Amino acid sequence: MRKIRVLFLCTGNSARSIIGATLLRQLGGDAFEVFSAGMHPKGVNPYTVRVLEPLGIDMSEERSKNVSEFAEQSFDYVIAVCDSTAAECPVFPGAPRRIHWSFVDPAAVEGTDAEKLRAFQRTAREMKTRLATFVPVARRTL
């Protein structure tokens, strides 16, 4: 059985797209082949690592990638997780389903260490909830 290919996109590929991709790998298992990229990659935010590692996710190999690395690949779904990326999302071969999920950028939150960490945790919870609905639908439609 072929895997469902999903690409998560955001502006910096430092938080939201990485969190979404990582959680989908965990929730979707072997049914999905998942990637993340950014329009203007900034590097992986340390809070992204802090919020995912307690879930048993190894972040040592994760890196921030430019969307151009995936330009010639085809996907079943391209999920933009921020408003600016949805507006400038490139076209991919194979006419993937394009989805726009607008999440507040936790990397933009200012405040104490605890406040920043809570923002990343909130984003991860919201994404996990959204993905819990997405996974069974994606499995049925492809």
Side-chain angles (χ1 to χ4, degrees):
M1 185 164 133
R2 127 180 138 71
K3 293 185 180 203
I4 300 164
R5 291 179 49 88
V6 179
L7 175 64
F8 283 85
L9 290 177
C10 70
T11 305
N13 192 221
S14 69
R16 292 168 288 183
S17 55
I18 291 173
I19 292 169
T22 303
L23 290 174
L24 179 55
R25 282 186 206 111
Q26 189 178 56
L27 293 169
D30 291 338
F32 292 86
E33 188 174 9
V34 187
F35 307 90
S36 72
M39 306 306 278
H40 312 284
K42 298 181 193 179
V44 179
N45 188 298
Y47 287 94
T48 300
V49 175
R50 285 182 60 187
V51 80
L52 293 173
E53 282 186 335
L55 302 175
I57 298 167
D58 178 12
M59 296 294 294
S60 62
E61 299 296 317
E62 194 65 48
R63 67 179 178 84
S64 189
K65 297 166 286 302
N66 191 293
V67 68
S68 64
E69 291 184 36
F70 301 97
E72 300 301 318
Q73 296 185 36
S74 62
F75 297 93
D76 299 298
Y77 293 92
V78 174
I79 303 174
V81 292
C82 67
D83 296 335
S84 63
T85 299
E88 60 178 297
C89 185
V91 174
F92 291 91
R97 290 177 177 99
R98 292 170 57 129
I99 298 173
H100 175 214
W101 291 343
S102 184
F103 291 98
V104 173
D105 184 3
V109 171
E110 295 184 16
T112 66
D113 180 66
E115 290 168 329
K116 291 176 184 179
L117 184 58
R118 276 194 301 275
F120 277 78
Q121 291 167 331
R122 182 174 41 255
T123 297
R125 272 192 316 275
E126 290 172 1
M127 285 187 158
K128 193 170 187 175
T129 299
R130 184 81 52 101
L131 287 166
T133 302
F134 171 77
V135 168
V137 170
R139 283 183 172 155
R140 279 194 312 268
T141 59
L142 293 176

